[in-house]
Amino acid sequence: MFLSEYEWSIILLSLKIGGVAIAASLPVGILFAWILARKNFKGKSILDSFINLPLVLPPVVIGYLLLITMGKNGYVGKWIDQVFGISFSFNWKGAALASAVVSFPLLVQAIRISFESIDRNLEFAARSLGASRLKMFFTVTLPLSMPGIIAGVVLAFARSLGEFGATITFVSNIPGETRTLPLAMYTLIQTPNQEAETMRLCIIAIGISFVALILSEALQRAHKKRLGLA
């Protein structure tokens, strides 16, 4: 009733790209967060810096690097296309990949902090009772780190929704395929007499982000209540 078909398509595409980006990067993010939080090894600072590199690199640089590595003629992308038939060039999969890369540091940092705040005595107790390392991780470490995981997911999802530079450089601005909320706003800004439509999309973006934050807070409260911490 309140949104046009064009606006609905942009919203659904943005949510799809953001959701796929986070779902694909979450397992890898948890793994790297655990490694950085619990392991000491040579080159740890290099790995940490590499993970956080997207935070300081210009998004256009990230998009260009993705283009030459994961594009249809890229070093890795060409092989993936030939072997698996998956192409990231100029489609929503590429937009999801760009969003995942840009938001990955925020996801890892939030989960890493959560891992570091866990009382290690609880893990040692589980081990002393006969739990394997894998069982201890899934029954003790992971549940206790859930608030940080939720926070990381929300931060990364919000960053994915706002991704612009890497996406437009890597997969262009294609209506119905890669044109997410930021790209749609950019297109309208470049079009005369589209101020009202641009403002509508701006309000929609703010609303989605606000709802995500409220949902994150509600999930964290529910999780703490379940654990008897609230």
Side-chain angles (χ1 to χ4, degrees):
M1 183 181 299
F2 301 105
L3 300 175
S4 67
E5 183 178 348
Y6 175 70
E7 290 168 338
W8 270 118
S9 65
I10 292 171
I11 293 171
L12 293 177
L13 179 62
S14 299
L15 294 176
K16 174 184 176 180
I17 289 174
V20 170
I22 301 308
S25 60
L26 182 57
V28 183
I30 292 175
L31 173 62
F32 278 105
W34 182 83
I35 291 173
L36 292 174
R38 297 298 171 80
K39 299 295 181 180
N40 290 312
F41 53 90
K42 290 183 179 180
K44 180 178 178 179
S45 60
I46 297 176
L47 176 61
D48 191 19
S49 299
F50 181 77
I51 290 174
N52 288 303
L53 199 58
L55 290 176
V56 295
L57 278 178
V60 175
V61 174
I62 298 173
Y64 174 73
L65 292 175
L66 286 173
L67 184 63
I68 62 175
T69 56
M70 301 301 293
K72 198 164 186 177
N73 295 317
Y75 304 113
V76 180
K78 185 177 182 179
W79 177 81
I80 293 176
D81 188 23
Q82 291 174 345
V83 176
F84 300 102
I86 300 174
S87 174
F88 295 100
S89 298
F90 306 109
N91 58 52
W92 69 269
K93 299 182 191 72
L97 177 60
S99 295
V101 170
V102 170
S103 63
F104 191 69
L106 298 176
L107 182 69
V108 172
Q109 287 296 341
I111 300 175
R112 177 185 180 180
I113 292 172
S114 188
F115 280 146
E116 291 175 340
S117 66
I118 294 174
D119 186 355
R120 297 298 302 277
N121 291 325
L122 297 174
E123 295 178 329
F124 296 147
R127 289 286 289 159
S128 67
L129 293 173
S132 64
R133 291 184 181 275
L134 192 61
K135 185 177 181 180
M136 177 198 70
F137 177 79
F138 283 104
T139 59
V140 178
T141 308
L142 200 60
L144 290 175
S145 64
M146 195 56 64
I149 293 175
I150 294 172
V153 166
V154 172
L155 285 173
F157 181 72
R159 180 64 186 87
S160 296
L161 288 179
E163 165 50 32
F164 175 81
T167 301
I168 199 171
T169 305
F170 181 35
V171 293
S172 190
N173 182 10
I174 305 173
E177 191 67 37
T178 65
R179 183 172 292 176
T180 55
L181 272 169
L183 272 66
M185 288 185 61
Y186 172 79
T187 303
L188 289 173
I189 290 172
Q190 305 301 310
T191 307
N193 304 318
Q194 295 296 320
E195 291 80 6
E197 287 75 7
T198 305
M199 179 57 66
R200 282 170 61 88
L201 290 181
C202 179
I203 294 172
I204 290 169
I206 294 172
I208 293 175
S209 300
F210 190 68
V211 169
L213 290 173
I214 292 176
L215 181 60
S216 169
E217 184 66 24
L219 290 173
Q220 291 189 57
R221 284 201 306 268
H223 180 71
K224 290 180 180 179
K225 185 176 181 181
R226 187 171 65 86
L227 295 178
L229 301 176

